[in-house]
Amino acid sequence: MIYHPELNFTQIVYLRVDCPHDGSLKSLCLHFFRAIDQALDANYEKKYALKRHGIETLLNLMRQISNHHAIGILVIDEIQHLSINKSGGAEKMLNFFVTLVNTVGLPVVMVGTPKARFIFEADLRSARRGAGFGSVFWEQMKQEPDIKLGDGKTMRSEWNQFTDKLWRLQWLKKSDVILSNRVRERWYDLSQGILDIAVKIFVLAQLRAIDHGIERITAPLLQATYDEDLRPIHPMIDALRSGRADKIAQFSDLVIPDIDKKLLTLQSQLQQRRAEFDEFSEYQGHEMSIRLHRMLVDIGQESPLLVPTVKKVIQKLPNASMSDLIVVVLEWLKDEKLDESISTKKIKPRRSKAKASLLKQKDWHTLDNEDLRFQFSQKNKEEMLYDHLKTSTNLIFDINDWLPRVS
């Protein structure tokens, strides 16, 4: 609201009204007066709405109040609550909204889930759309390819732009810089272009990657995240894959509180794992030391030398800034690791050879991308390793593709 002191007048910039849960049109009008009373601390509901007025009378009263308070726009939310049976049919309901716009005389925006589509379905196919109604059915993102423009530039599709932007927001140590087509396609198949679901899969997959030591997002990881953590939305995703509006409408109001619970559970597990090292006791509650230790761990400097080095630098440079301390610690860690490596080589006999470290196959998914064992863990069971490397990596040199390009 805006109060104009020179006119002693309060203007309502916008008014938001929730559709009543009983789905009747008269209750919708009563909710309008109730929203005005809540905004202005007035008593319009008692004065007008609680009397035995019909819908036509209530519409005229709504027009008078709208003009009196100069309401800029009326937003009717949860429009899918309206009931055909209690409103007299979809035709009468649509006529009510047209009359509402024409009578009240202010812009009306109606918001709802796909369950409300039946109200406007006929209007979209007829000339009555010119009566002031137009509607936007906000569907999920489409999986479309990029478009090559005439000047050589590429116009990215909406889904590709969205996923590329989101891909940068990773906290994984071995995250791929470029989002592969295989991961992008699996991501879309599991989210069907719904933004909220795509973001939840992205977050849950990162937490799972940290918890399992993979430290990267892969197509099998996204599938495992969807299968185990997103079970409540499987019926909805199946309905979206089918493309049938009647099936989609059945799940338009689906809520998935278990997803947020899963996020909190995984976050607490990760925090508990980090808390196994008692920073407070190690540094005797010294805040600067604890902060410096955490920042160095976050940039991958966790090692047995970290604690004594942090203690040493705080003792030597107690008044230095955090940025200066980080630079000094990194230099000291580098020198200490080098000295330790040299001393180890001197002590070790020449004939001794480093014992090869064996890694069980169940842990191959924690290796680097270039390791063939990691790539073997990422391929489908029925897929040959060579075919996986050729389609999903750059490790296979394709001479048949290379010769035409260089000639």
Side-chain angles (χ1 to χ4, degrees):
M1 299 180 298
I2 300 176
Y3 176 69
H4 301 275
E6 67 278 5
L7 302 174
N8 191 24
F9 164 71
T10 301
Q11 175 191 1
I12 299 178
V13 180
Y14 71 92
L15 187 69
R16 177 182 172 276
V17 179
D18 277 334
C19 257
H21 64 277
D22 63 359
S24 67
L25 296 176
K26 186 170 183 179
S27 296
L28 177 59
C29 297
L30 301 183
H31 277 219
F32 172 85
F33 295 106
R34 191 171 302 162
I36 292 286
D37 290 345
Q38 291 175 353
L40 301 174
D41 194 18
N43 61 344
Y44 286 113
E45 183 181 12
K46 182 178 179 181
K47 187 176 181 180
Y48 298 121
L50 297 182
K51 297 183 179 180
R52 296 183 178 180
H53 293 308
I55 292 180
E56 294 294 332
T57 304
L58 291 175
L59 285 174
N60 284 321
L61 292 172
M62 290 169 65
R63 176 183 59 81
Q64 294 176 15
I65 296 173
S66 299
N67 291 334
H68 182 67
H69 295 289
I71 299 177
I73 190 170
L74 174 62
V75 180
I76 304 176
D77 202 359
E78 307 294 349
I79 199 72
Q80 73 277 359
H81 288 171
L82 288 177
S83 171
I84 295 180
N85 297 330
K86 294 185 179 181
S87 303
E91 188 74 18
K92 183 178 179 180
M93 198 181 300
L94 183 61
N95 291 335
F96 167 80
F97 289 126
V98 175
T99 306
L100 175 66
V101 175
N102 295 336
T103 303
V104 177
L106 61 92
V108 178
V109 176
M110 284 164 285
V111 184
T113 66
K115 282 187 177 180
R117 193 174 185 177
F118 70 92
I119 303 173
F120 310 101
E121 197 71 39
D123 183 63
L124 288 172
R125 298 197 184 100
S126 65
R128 285 190 302 174
R129 188 175 182 180
F133 263 103
S135 65
V136 176
F137 187 69
W138 193 4
E139 296 176 317
Q140 69 267 33
M141 285 187 182
K142 302 296 183 183
Q143 190 179 24
E144 299 172 335
D146 297 335
I147 300 176
K148 296 288 185 180
L149 302 177
D151 56 0
K153 296 181 179 180
T154 301
M155 185 173 71
R156 304 282 284 163
S157 67
E158 187 179 20
W159 172 250
N160 290 348
Q161 285 189 60
F162 173 73
T163 48
D164 283 342
K165 292 286 186 181
L166 200 58
W167 191 253
R168 301 175 187 174
L169 307 177
Q170 291 187 59
W171 289 83
L172 303 177
K173 296 178 181 178
K174 299 179 182 178
S175 60
D176 297 321
V177 178
I178 304 299
L179 173 58
S180 66
N181 291 331
R182 185 185 183 191
V183 174
R184 196 196 307 271
E185 290 171 1
R186 184 69 60 85
W187 196 356
Y188 184 86
D189 180 64
L190 301 177
S191 68
Q192 288 298 301
I194 301 296
L195 299 184
D196 183 55
I197 297 176
V199 172
K200 281 185 167 62
I201 291 177
F202 180 69
V203 174
L204 285 169
Q206 288 191 76
L207 292 173
R208 180 176 287 269
I210 296 172
D211 187 49
H212 288 65
I214 304 175
E215 292 293 344
R216 66 173 70 79
I217 295 177
T218 62
L221 179 71
L222 290 176
Q223 187 67 52
T225 302
Y226 173 80
D227 293 339
E228 299 181 23
D229 300 336
L230 295 168
R231 290 179 183 175
I233 66 170
H234 286 187
M236 181 184 180
I237 297 299
D238 293 338
L240 290 170
R241 286 197 190 102
S242 69
R244 291 179 53 180
D246 56 336
K247 288 188 176 181
I248 297 173
Q250 295 176 10
F251 303 101
S252 61
D253 296 325
L254 182 66
V255 292
I256 43 178
D258 291 342
I259 305 305
D260 297 321
K261 182 179 178 182
K262 186 68 177 179
L263 283 170
L264 293 175
T265 302
L266 287 173
Q267 286 175 352
S268 65
Q269 290 176 356
L270 295 175
Q271 290 295 336
Q272 184 177 2
R273 183 173 298 179
R274 290 188 62 180
E276 291 177 357
F277 171 74
D278 192 351
E279 299 165 331
F280 189 88
S281 299
E282 189 67 49
Y283 295 108
Q284 298 180 354
H286 190 264
E287 183 180 354
M288 181 67 77
S289 300
I290 295 173
R291 287 179 56 201
L292 180 60
H293 179 96
R294 290 178 178 176
M295 294 181 70
L296 290 166
V297 169
D298 288 339
I299 61 175
Q301 295 299 320
E302 191 171 9
S303 74
L305 302 173
L306 181 58
V307 173
T309 306
V310 169
K311 290 181 178 180
K312 180 180 177 182
V313 75
I314 292 294
Q315 184 180 4
K316 296 276 188 181
L317 305 169
N319 299 321
S321 64
M322 183 62 69
S323 58
D324 293 336
L325 289 174
I326 291 176
V327 173
V328 174
V329 170
L330 291 176
E331 288 293 331
W332 286 2
L333 284 175
K334 183 179 178 181
D335 294 339
E336 289 181 12
K337 289 178 180 177
L338 182 62
D339 294 341
E340 185 182 23
S341 175
I342 293 173
S343 61
T344 303
K345 288 181 180 178
K346 289 181 179 179
I347 296 172
K348 187 181 297 185
R350 281 191 173 186
R351 291 180 298 175
S352 63
K353 294 183 180 180
K355 186 178 180 180
S357 59
L358 298 177
L359 191 66
K360 294 182 179 180
Q361 185 172 347
K362 65 182 182 64
D363 298 323
W364 285 2
H365 62 273
T366 63
L367 297 168
D368 293 332
N369 288 350
E370 293 76 14
D371 197 303
L372 294 181
R373 292 171 294 176
F374 168 75
Q375 295 299 336
F376 183 86
S377 69
Q378 298 302 302
K379 74 178 187 65
N380 298 328
K381 291 183 179 180
E382 64 278 0
E383 187 180 18
M384 296 294 292
L385 178 60
Y386 177 83
D387 296 332
H388 167 76
L389 295 175
K390 189 173 182 180
T391 57
S392 303
T393 70
N394 296 322
L395 300 176
I396 300 297
F397 178 71
D398 190 352
I399 191 170
N400 294 325
D401 177 66
W402 176 75
L403 283 175
R405 288 192 284 110
V406 298
S407 62

